[in-house]
Amino acid sequence: MATSSGNSSGTITTATTAVLTTGLEDGDFVRSMNQRKRRMESNRESARRSRMRKQMHLNELAVTKAQLTSKNDRLASGIFVASRQLATIEAENSILRAQLMELSQRLDSLNDIL
């Protein structure tokens, strides 16, 4: 009977060890799954932040584009106005040169008379 109780004790001990080992493995598995879940959640959060940064950057670029487009339109308008003024001034300058030539000729004629 001692042998059988020894065997049964040995079996219980082996079974207990198996349960404890399995319990540790299950605990390790649970910890591993928890770590994996935390990592996945962390990765999701990181991806979400990355998408938010990208969207913010795109919004900033859109604002910058609108500002530059507006500035470009103002500059183009200014160039157009300046070009029209230049044309007007060049026309006036041509008229004044013609008047200068005419007045110079008159002066020369008057000087010749005197």
Side-chain angles (χ1 to χ4, degrees):
M1 190 121 154
T3 329
S4 63
S5 70
N7 286 342
S8 65
S9 293
T11 305
I12 291 173
T13 305
T14 305
T16 304
T17 304
V19 169
L20 289 175
T21 304
T22 304
L24 289 176
E25 289 174 1
D26 285 346
D28 288 343
F29 177 75
V30 169
R31 278 191 294 277
S32 174
M33 289 303 291
N34 287 339
Q35 287 175 345
R36 184 173 180 217
K37 285 180 184 178
R38 282 193 302 270
R39 233 180 4 258
M40 287 174 61
E41 186 60 34
S42 175
N43 288 345
R44 283 189 192 113
E45 181 63 22
S46 178
R48 185 186 67 78
R49 286 191 310 266
S50 178
R51 287 189 300 272
M52 285 179 63
R53 280 192 306 271
K54 182 178 180 180
Q55 187 61 47
M56 287 174 59
H57 184 63
L58 286 173
N59 292 344
E60 290 171 3
L61 289 175
V63 168
T64 301
K65 178 189 177 246
Q67 290 171 343
L68 291 174
T69 299
S70 175
K71 185 176 183 178
N72 189 43
D73 291 345
R74 284 192 312 273
L75 291 172
S77 176
I79 289 171
F80 178 75
V81 169
S83 295
R84 287 181 62 190
Q85 288 174 343
L86 175 63
T88 302
I89 290 171
E90 285 177 339
E92 288 176 11
N93 194 23
S94 293
I95 292 169
L96 291 173
R97 283 179 196 255
Q99 288 175 351
L100 174 65
M101 295 283 269
E102 183 182 340
L103 291 174
S104 291
Q105 288 173 356
R106 279 187 184 178
L107 179 62
D108 288 342
S109 294
L110 289 175
N111 281 335
D112 286 342
I113 293 174
L114 292 176

